[in-house]
Amino acid sequence: MDLGIIYENMQPNRNTAGPQSQNQDEVQNRTGRDQNSHNITSLSQKKNELEIRVNNLSDALRKMFSGTFRYFISREEKNWTDSRQFCRDNGGDLIIINTKEKQEYISSIDNENLWIGLTDLEKEGRMKWVDNTPLNGGFWIPGEPNDQAGNEDCVVISVFSETFMNWNDLKCSEERRCICEKWLIS
């Protein structure tokens, strides 16, 4: 027996005359419900696809930013601007110290005052890091920053002071060695 004939015989009679019009309304309602169900299923699938994409992007960002820093100190003394250029020329920038752990580590690696990536050159009293993020807290020597000599707009980490209170503002034209950080993606 031909499958087309079996299928044809299974279909209800779709005569639209007379009492069948109520069945037609039922079919339309069912079709509408089916369409809504399809739309909901389609939206759910799209939501799942978007969630997968977001998770994939999040994973990619985590991998991208799960690298480490390499620190290096200049041999020559330079002013703050030239020190920053030295760091950039070597693939990094002046160091940003935004955690207690990083502060402790950096304080332990040298015995000189070193330029770091903090300045209020743009606006007096508003310290910013070289990536333009504002300073939040800090590890200042008591009484610092004080702009004592006038135009003390750049910051050194002073290793002669206590580990957690050793930042000092100086004139950017003074010459010091600097500490740079370079981001390494693993």
Side-chain angles (χ1 to χ4, degrees):
M1 182 180 268
D2 187 315
L3 289 178
I5 294 171
I6 294 173
Y7 180 75
E8 230 176 276
N9 290 335
M10 293 177 64
Q11 292 296 314
N13 186 2
R14 302 231 181 237
N15 183 356
T16 59
Q20 287 290 336
S21 62
Q22 188 176 16
N23 288 342
Q24 190 175 18
D25 290 341
E26 217 174 280
V27 168
Q28 286 177 346
N29 287 339
R30 188 173 39 238
T31 303
R33 282 192 305 268
D34 290 346
Q35 183 63 39
N36 287 341
S37 178
H38 174 72
N39 288 344
I40 290 169
T41 301
S42 178
L43 287 173
S44 292
Q45 287 171 340
K46 287 182 191 242
K47 179 182 176 241
N48 290 338
E49 289 171 11
L50 286 173
E51 285 175 348
I52 290 168
R53 289 178 69 192
V54 166
N55 288 336
N56 288 342
L57 286 172
S58 295
D59 288 345
L61 286 173
R62 257 193 300 283
K63 286 176 185 170
M64 185 168 43
F65 290 110
S66 67
T68 58
F69 288 103
R70 176 173 290 157
Y71 305 102
F72 53 99
I73 298 173
S74 64
R75 291 186 182 146
E76 296 178 29
E77 292 186 351
K78 300 177 185 293
N79 65 43
W80 188 89
T81 303
D82 290 344
S83 292
R84 182 167 190 209
Q85 190 58 52
F86 165 80
C87 293
R88 289 176 154 189
D89 289 346
N90 286 282
D93 209 337
L94 288 169
I95 191 168
I96 295 172
I97 303 173
N98 50 13
T99 66
K100 184 177 177 181
E101 294 77 19
K102 199 170 184 181
Q103 168 69 15
E104 186 172 32
Y105 175 74
I106 298 306
S107 294
S108 72
I109 63 174
D110 204 287
N111 60 1
E112 290 187 44
N113 292 338
L114 302 169
W115 288 123
I116 62 175
L118 186 61
T119 181
D120 69 351
L121 276 167
E122 277 185 33
K123 182 165 171 67
E124 183 63 38
R126 188 175 294 158
M127 290 286 178
K128 283 187 177 181
W129 292 106
V130 290
D131 69 354
N132 284 322
T133 57
L135 174 65
N136 187 11
F139 301 96
W140 297 101
I141 294 171
E144 297 292 341
N146 62 10
D147 201 31
Q148 182 178 5
N151 294 325
E152 291 184 341
D153 295 321
C154 296
V155 180
V156 293
I157 187 166
S158 176
V159 294
F160 300 116
S161 299
E162 186 180 322
T163 300
F164 291 110
M165 299 170 79
N166 61 4
W167 293 359
N168 185 23
D169 61 333
L170 297 176
K171 287 186 175 187
C172 300
S173 59
E174 289 193 26
E175 293 195 347
R176 299 282 189 269
R177 291 171 55 208
C178 67
I179 184 161
C180 308
E181 64 185 345
K182 182 177 182 178
W183 181 257
L184 302 173
I185 298 174
S186 56

